[in-house]
Amino acid sequence: TNNNEQQQSSSFEPNLPTVKFDDDPPKDVYEKAITRTLQWLSATAIFGLALWSTVGSKTAEEFFAGYLVEQSLSVDNLFVFLLLFDYFN
């Protein structure tokens, strides 16, 4: 049984996820991205309007202000990454 255990332990291979890179991206990738972005913006607007009607305008305004700040910081991070990638080219 000792040889059997050694064979089993030596033949262990982890099941790691693999990443496949295609040379050509799908043609509708931008259309899907725009659609998904519009869906998230719609969900955000609906949630904000629901806050407005149920809790009040102050809470809804705070939500929209926070959402806009977070989106602005997200776009700002993209510019930082672009600068870093350009610098370390």
Side-chain angles (χ1 to χ4, degrees), residues 27-37:
K27 294 181 194 273
D28 61 344
V29 69
Y30 294 114
E31 183 179 327
K32 285 182 180 179
I34 290 171
T35 301
R36 187 173 296 150
T37 301

Side-chain angles (χ1 to χ4, degrees), residues 73-88:
L73 292 173
S74 174
V75 172
D76 180 51
N77 286 339
L78 291 175
F79 289 121
V80 170
F81 279 114
L82 286 174
L83 288 173
L84 286 173
F85 288 148
D86 189 44
Y87 179 77
F88 290 110

Side-chain angles (χ1 to χ4, degrees), residues 41-73:
L41 286 173
S42 298
T44 302
I46 291 169
F47 181 76
L49 292 173
L51 280 177
W52 191 297
S53 67
T54 58
V55 181
S57 64
K58 183 177 182 204
T59 303
E61 289 170 3
E62 290 173 353
F63 169 74
F64 283 122
Y67 181 81
L68 289 175
V69 167
E70 288 296 324
Q71 289 299 317
S72 300
L73 292 173

